[in-house]
Amino acid sequence: DQKPMFRGSLETGRCVVPSTGFYEWTKDKDKVKYKFNLPGSKILYMAGLWKEFAGERRYVILTTAANTSVSDIHDRMPVVLLPDQLDAWVRDKDKVLNILTGDHPMLEKTAV
């Protein structure tokens, strides 16, 4: 909410980006690839912002500091939304900052 580039979209352009997970690679010379997902789920929802640019709708996935389930691989992670947060993220601007600054779910990682 502090960056002018995102302020308007945070007000009126919130979206949910569904995925099957996200990937990160270790920083060592072996570059091991890991897939991250919610435990027991095949769908991962990420908080996004959209905006029209040059006649096209484009989106970004918001990131936050990594929690302990990701931090040994990378220092950032997507803002992961739980299923019960989806409607609030898109429709309830009063809950947006709580979602962004709250605790983020622990993820499982699988080497791929």
Side-chain angles (χ1 to χ4, degrees):
D1 69 328
Q2 299 170 7
K3 296 188 180 205
M5 179 177 177
F6 295 114
R7 193 172 299 125
S9 293
L10 192 58
E11 244 336 276
T12 61
R14 296 180 306 277
C15 64
V16 174
V17 181
S19 70
T20 58
F22 70 93
Y23 297 90
E24 291 292 350
W25 289 257
T26 58
K27 296 178 184 179
D28 58 16
K29 66 179 182 166
D30 295 330
K31 298 283 184 196
V32 178
K33 181 179 176 182
Y34 287 94
K35 181 178 182 182
F36 289 88
N37 213 325
L38 284 171
S41 179
K42 294 184 179 187
I43 300 174
L44 183 78
Y45 299 103
M46 298 174 284
L49 299 176
W50 71 271
K51 189 173 188 176
E52 194 158 316
F53 180 78
E56 294 181 357
R57 285 188 179 176
R58 299 184 182 190
Y59 71 92
V60 296
I61 295 170
L62 299 178
T63 63
T64 188
N67 64 22
T68 58
S69 66
V70 178
S71 63
D72 62 328
I73 306 298
H74 201 278
D75 61 344
R76 306 285 301 164
M77 65 183 277
V79 174
V80 175
L81 301 169
L82 296 172
D84 65 351
Q85 294 176 309
L86 300 178
D87 191 63
W89 172 253
V90 173
R91 301 180 197 283
D92 191 343
K93 67 180 180 177
D94 295 330
K95 294 185 179 176
V96 168
L97 289 180
N98 288 337
I99 291 171
L100 290 175
T101 59
D103 290 333
H104 299 285
M106 298 299 284
L107 304 176
E108 64 184 8
K109 67 182 175 198
T110 307
V112 291

